[in-house]
Amino acid sequence: MHAFLLLAAADTNPAGGAAIGQVVIASTAAFVVTAALLWLGYAHRTGRTSALRRVAAAMARASGLAEWAALPSIISALSLLTALFGMYWDISFHIDNGRDPGPLANPAHYFILVGLFGIFTAGFLAVVLPDGRPSRAAVRVAGDWYAPLSGVALLSCAAFSLSGFPLDDMWHRLFGQDVTLWGPTHLMLIGGAGLALIGSSMLVVEGKVSAPRGARAQGLLGFLTRTRYAALAGGFLVGLSTFQAEFDFGVPQYRLLFHPVLIAAAAAIALTAARIYAGRGGALSAAAYFLVIRGVITLLVGPILGKTTPHLPLYAVEAAAVEAAALAVVPTRRPYLFGTLSGLLIGTVGFAAEFAWSHAWMPVPWPSVLFGEAIVPVLVTAVAGGLIGAFVGSTLGAPRRGTGQLHVPVIAGAALGLAGIAAVFVYGLDTTPATGVRGSVALKKMTAPPNRTVQATVRIDPPGAARDADWLSAIAWQGGGLVVDRLDHVGPGVWRTTKPLPVHGKWKTLIRLHSRRSLIGLPIYLPEDRAIPAREVPALSRFTRRFELEKNILQREQKSGVPPALPTLAYAAVGSITLGLILMLGWALARFGATAGDGGSRRRRVRRPSAGRLAEKGAT
Amino acid sequence: MTAIPLAHMGHAIAFLPFFAPPIVLTLGVLLLIARDRLTRSRRSNSN
């Protein structure tokens, strides 16, 4: 016990992970909620309580879904919105204020915890609620207990996301805090929630197909349910767009080409899927839902809560391009050809539109040099995303329309798309910092101490190092706000800031230079940080410093001297869990499409795909 | 040399009540489903 207390005392270092007391509070609360859920599920299935059934029946009457789907679908929708708001608010907290003292010291964390637990709750209820076999796609758990496939998918996504919490804490303790959205365990947290939209979409489709005839939604829910397929597709677009958050806030730590690549991936996957399973106008409606949801989040986080504002892509032109592609190729008949055509349009016309939009509102506008760098990766990603979206949209649409009206393609095309996107990421993550670049800096006082701000004039040597740069900017963050400032070119090799840069207190202020594969930075001011530990880098009135690997400045919390095998093992562990979830979702979607009926259609049948053969096995 | 900070596993253990029940429940459901499918697959093969 004594040793444990000593360890706990030593572990109060906020640069390493969570404070033990706060971890215990969060864990206890979650344990109580889980125990209550477990009891409720057990009591429902053994007939000890009818409370769950009564609530589910009321929700079913209001939504027009089957009883086992109505309550979970509402819980999952509210939970996803809660987690989404928490995520953007949390990121703005960290950008403005740096590290948290503990897991419950930041109010945004409550929203994330409650949201992710809500997704788990939705999946759990969907699995325990049904009597008998709820749908053709349902899988038997044991005896006469069948779980809807959507419930299993939701449960898996939630568990994947929740497992990111303890792994994140362990990651921070092993390697130091990775102050980036793209830390492996951070990606688990947001990726699980984003992919839960697939489970939610399956839940609504499965629940609608299995609903008794005559069930009709009423009131406000009636309006929402009439547009629910487009809303879910818009939600999927929101989920896939969360990976762009560093670019949305103006603090990207990876190559700029990832911004158009991520936009193309999200647009191609979600909008192609939306047009196939939500029908005509589905892509445009999904983009409209995206703008409403993200617009509200932006207003809440920025102007209302007073934090750094998250920006957002438009997706309007991409959505119009997908609708246009549907005029040339019937999406339900030749989904992969439709996905490919949509991808080509998104990768060209969509790219151009987002380029223009980046200059209208994005914090990091795209330079013309980005076109040459990004056009091939964007095109590959968009076409690959179109293939994935075609598969997702077809499998989601099949149970509702029937395979007589909708061709369900083989999964191999989606797997090829996934491989294509993975290849683009491997290409983009391969960076080499430029060496031998120096900056001579003169700081002019703008505001006197103690809240000192300065204007920086930087002479870069060699002068050509900043030619055709993706960005040359100053950034100051984590001291109580965010300043992003593009430097003005004032002479050969000489650049100047245009906004006052804070160089006091907890602010971290630096010059950033990104050109092709190189991301380097020059610190102007970094505070002393005993928790890491790290010395102060003072803001002298004149100094010459070497540009260094930018990650070393932006992520100075990362520990050095970690045995090389350890990161490899850690990445392999996280990668294996992620691959497991992707395979599970792929199987679930394939089964979902394969177990669809023919819809009773008298229309001309399209050639039955190999998935049709799977249907005969899968339906048993 | 950097020691692997296994001592810090204390925090992960403190997190157990938070993440373990949902993960165990999910894995349990997935295992039951897999067992059922394997059993039925064996039965259909033997027939």
Side-chain angles (χ1 to χ4, degrees), chain A residues 318-345:
Chain A
E318 290 93 323
V322 171
E323 296 288 348
L327 298 175
V329 179
V330 180
T332 50
R333 295 278 170 85
R334 306 180 76 180
Y336 278 149
L337 182 60
F338 168 67
T340 304
L341 182 58
S342 298
L344 285 171
L345 290 172

Side-chain angles (χ1 to χ4, degrees), chain A residues 106-346:
Chain A
N106 169 347
H109 287 191
Y110 288 93
F111 288 87
I112 298 175
L113 291 172
V114 169
L116 295 185
F117 235 88
I119 301 168
F120 166 73
T121 304
F124 178 80
L125 291 177
V127 167
V128 299
L129 267 171
D131 297 322
R133 185 170 186 162
S135 68
R136 294 185 70 181
V139 284
R140 195 166 76 169
V141 181
D144 62 349
W145 178 15
Y146 283 84
L149 201 52
S150 51
V152 178
L154 259 181
L155 212 51
S156 304
C157 290
F160 174 78
S161 202
L162 283 169
S163 64
F165 278 109
L167 290 175
D168 191 47
D169 195 55
M170 290 169 72
W171 193 280
H172 289 178
R173 291 184 176 281
L174 287 168
F175 306 116
Q177 284 191 3
D178 40 351
V179 189
T180 169
L181 184 73
W182 284 14
T185 48
H186 301 165
L187 290 177
M188 285 182 73
L189 288 165
I190 60 171
L195 291 174
L197 258 307
I198 290 181
S200 293
S201 304
M202 289 169 69
L203 183 67
V204 170
V205 172
E206 208 176 1
K208 182 62 184 166
V209 170
S210 311
R213 283 175 183 274
R216 289 284 183 273
Q218 296 162 356
L220 175 64
L221 268 178
F223 168 77
L224 292 175
T225 52
R226 277 193 293 279
T227 57
R228 60 184 146 208
Y229 298 113
L232 284 163
F236 192 31
L237 187 56
V238 170
L240 291 175
S241 301
T242 53
F243 299 106
Q244 303 158 19
E246 284 192 357
F247 295 96
D248 295 339
F249 280 100
V251 290
Q253 297 190 32
Y254 294 85
R255 290 178 68 182
L256 187 58
L257 76 81
F258 274 117
H259 198 192
V261 160
L262 289 168
I263 290 174
I269 295 172
L271 297 175
T272 303
R275 180 60 185 85
I276 294 175
Y277 91 94
R280 187 174 299 145
L284 284 168
S285 305
Y289 262 102
F290 169 87
L291 290 174
V292 169
I293 295 169
R294 282 292 304 274
V296 170
I297 298 276
T298 293
L299 282 175
L300 281 174
V301 172
I304 295 175
L305 292 167
K307 295 289 176 187
T308 292
T309 302
H311 297 64
L312 57 144
L314 266 188
Y315 290 132
V317 173
E318 290 93 323
V322 171
E323 296 288 348
L327 298 175
V329 179
V330 180
T332 50
R333 295 278 170 85
R334 306 180 76 180
Y336 278 149
L337 182 60
F338 168 67
T340 304
L341 182 58
S342 298
L344 285 171
L345 290 172
I346 287 171

Side-chain angles (χ1 to χ4, degrees), chain B:
Chain B
M1 192 182 101
T2 303
I4 298 174
L6 289 178
H8 293 301
M9 291 294 281
H11 281 204
I13 291 166
F15 252 121
L16 268 174
F18 180 87
F19 70 86
I23 293 171
V24 168
L25 278 172
T26 305
L27 288 178
V29 168
L30 291 176
L31 278 175
L32 284 171
I33 292 168
R35 192 187 68 168
D36 181 70
R37 295 182 71 78
L38 280 174
T39 309
R40 294 168 77 178
S41 162
R42 276 196 204 120
R43 270 190 208 146
S44 64
N45 283 342
S46 64
N47 291 337

